[in-house]
Amino acid sequence: MSYEYLLKNLIRIKSYSGKEENLKNFIEKYFFENNISTIKQEGNLLVHIKGRDRSRAIIFNSHMDTVSAGDEKLWRYGAWSPTSEDKKIIGLGSSDMKSGLATSMLTATKFTNTKPPVDLWFTYVVKEEQDGSGTKSFTKWFTKKGYLKLYSKIAAIFTEPTGLSEIEIGHRGNIFISVSTKGNSGHASKPQNIKKHAVREMIKFSDKLALEMKNWQKEFKDNVFDPPTVGEITSIKAGDSPNKFPATCEATFDIRTTPNFHKVAISRIKLLGKKTGAKITLAFPPAPAGYTNPNKKIVKSAKKVLKKSQLTVSQGAADLGFLTNIGIESIIFGPGEKEQAHRTDEYCYPDQIPQAVNIYKAIVEAWAK
């Protein structure tokens, strides 16, 4: 199966967060046809390839899910109709991260032909785009099964898109909150009777949160990470009738955190909600920030192979923090254009896939020395 054919097949399978089952079945079938055993771990799929040195291991992490396609009519060729154009393949998830997914699958196949120098784990996880619960679940399983203690050294490579030009050694955390405000309901023809407007209360909370965030950015300034941020309202719902003032307004916010701010963010935001009369709850479990010191061997090994690549820290969030928080040194490096993530007409350059397979093999061999 050629890498382009594999990539297009992966893109054709709709795999929103929480709905990755069909894609997981496809990956499982791919490995079965290549005589590679798989392990089902809750919603995840794992491949364990034993190496010559059983005391050390490298984990490859790839997520199966994508964000929503949004308005499908805006896609030129259809979100799940991968189309080749000017050395690109256009389709939902092409960069984030089905090109990385294809690379991981091909890398696993490559290493089964020749025994790797250390144990390798290839993990295909769910819900990265939502709350990271797939990687979180794998981390708990890996620890409970005794592998964390079994190996003297463990490293990880997350196959997220970096255009094969950056080695990310960290990322901010994220907290998705749900906010609820209340107001007076009533007929829209009589606004004078509405003393408290639920939607306006939400706007007030949003404005105050943005102002407070400016103070938190100064308080939690970090030499490694960009300051914490809060996006504007990412979704909002208030009533279902155009001629009635709604009694409640519901909205979600996306908070990006630095390690120190992550520890206190929820309590600070809830306190602000209490002051403004807004009810704050978590939309999903928080995902921590992650960081690997540049002096760690996995970073040095990657730099040895990729001499011209920059070391960077992502403003976004990923699953790396779940592994670094239990002592597993990790990097993010993979095919695909990260600025294409979550965009309509998302594209990737498929020729990066075979390059990435060779780079991963070289990094494994460098780290194993």
Side-chain angles (χ1 to χ4, degrees):
M1 185 184 293
S2 73
Y3 62 86
E4 284 199 33
Y5 184 72
L6 175 60
L7 175 60
K8 286 184 175 181
N9 278 335
L10 293 172
I11 293 170
R12 286 189 182 99
I13 302 171
K14 186 184 292 189
S15 57
Y16 288 161
S17 295
K19 297 180 179 180
E20 303 93 339
E21 189 70 20
N22 289 338
L23 182 57
K24 183 177 76 171
N25 292 340
F26 174 86
I27 297 170
E28 184 180 19
K29 183 181 178 183
Y30 168 87
F31 283 123
F32 176 80
E33 290 173 350
N34 283 277
N35 299 311
I36 300 173
S37 299
T38 56
I39 302 166
K40 291 181 179 180
Q41 188 270 309
E42 291 194 10
N44 304 325
L45 191 71
L46 317 177
V47 171
H48 180 200
I49 300 174
K50 296 177 182 178
R52 297 190 296 274
D53 178 357
R54 301 297 316 284
S55 69
R56 296 179 294 160
I58 289 182
I59 300 166
F60 284 86
N61 178 287
S62 308
H63 66 82
M64 296 183 286
D65 59 323
T66 70
V67 294
S68 167
D71 186 349
E72 295 177 35
K73 294 178 183 177
L74 297 178
W75 288 76
R76 282 187 292 153
Y77 305 111
W80 301 279
S81 300
T83 304
S84 298
E85 181 182 274
D86 298 328
K87 298 182 179 181
K88 304 172 184 175
I89 289 181
I90 301 169
L92 178 61
S94 53
S95 274
D96 187 19
M97 60 171 290
K98 291 185 176 178
S99 53
L101 194 62
T103 303
S104 173
M105 293 163 68
L106 292 168
T107 302
T109 307
K110 192 178 187 76
F111 271 115
T112 56
N113 297 327
T114 56
K115 200 168 189 178
V118 296
D119 273 19
L120 297 180
W121 290 86
F122 294 86
T123 65
Y124 305 97
V125 301
V126 298
K127 296 184 179 180
E128 188 273 345
E129 298 289 5
Q130 195 172 80
D131 57 12
S133 57
T135 298
K136 184 177 182 180
S137 171
F138 165 74
T139 303
K140 289 182 178 179
W141 177 90
F142 193 76
T143 303
K144 187 176 180 180
K145 288 289 184 178
Y147 291 110
L148 189 64
K149 290 183 177 179
L150 173 67
Y151 295 118
S152 60
K153 288 184 179 180
I154 312 173
I157 300 172
F158 287 73
T159 66
E160 293 275 10
T162 64
L164 302 186
S165 61
E166 294 179 33
I167 303 166
E168 292 182 352
I169 59 174
H171 61 74
R172 294 188 298 178
N174 71 269
I175 301 172
F176 298 120
I177 60 168
S178 294
V179 181
S180 177
T181 54
K182 293 182 179 180
N184 305 121
S185 62
H187 201 286
S189 66
K190 298 179 180 180
Q192 68 274 13
N193 294 340
I194 305 300
K195 305 300 180 185
K196 195 174 184 180
H197 194 301
V199 177
R200 291 195 175 277
E201 291 301 309
M202 183 64 71
I203 294 170
K204 288 178 185 177
F205 171 81
S206 177
D207 290 343
K208 288 181 180 179
L209 180 60
L211 286 173
E212 197 63 52
M213 184 58 75
K214 290 182 179 179
N215 297 325
W216 294 337
Q217 286 176 335
K218 294 176 183 177
E219 182 181 353
F220 295 96
K221 188 176 180 180
D222 194 291
N223 292 328
V224 174
F225 296 86
D226 282 355
T229 58
V230 54
E232 293 292 337
I233 295 170
T234 53
S235 70
I236 190 166
K237 182 180 179 181
D240 53 11
S241 175
N243 67 348
K244 176 184 176 181
F245 291 110
T248 61
C249 180
E250 309 284 338
T252 58
F253 292 78
D254 182 334
I255 316 295
R256 300 293 163 139
T257 63
T258 57
N260 288 332
F261 180 61
H262 196 86
K263 299 172 186 176
V264 301
I266 296 172
S267 60
R268 293 282 186 97
I269 295 168
K270 284 188 174 181
L271 180 60
L272 181 64
K274 189 175 182 180
K275 290 178 180 178
T276 59
K279 182 180 178 182
I280 313 296
T281 57
L282 290 173
F284 300 102
Y291 180 70
T292 297
N293 189 294
N295 292 321
K296 292 295 184 181
K297 191 173 183 180
I298 188 62
V299 181
K300 289 184 173 181
S301 299
K303 279 295 291 178
K304 184 177 180 181
V305 175
L306 301 153
K307 293 180 174 60
K308 295 182 180 180
S309 293
Q310 280 188 311
L311 297 183
T312 60
V313 174
S314 174
Q315 295 185 44
D319 283 356
L320 177 140
F322 291 110
L323 296 191
T324 58
N325 283 1
I326 61 169
I328 298 176
E329 57 187 57
S330 309
I331 60 170
I332 297 172
F333 177 84
E337 312 306 305
K338 63 180 178 180
E339 69 273 11
Q340 283 296 310
H342 306 183
R343 287 190 175 188
T344 302
D345 289 335
E346 177 184 355
Y347 66 79
C348 70
Y349 295 99
D351 285 353
Q352 289 182 0
I353 292 173
Q355 295 177 49
V357 172
N358 291 330
I359 291 169
Y360 288 156
K361 187 174 185 295
I363 293 173
V364 169
E365 290 168 349
W367 186 85
K369 288 182 179 178

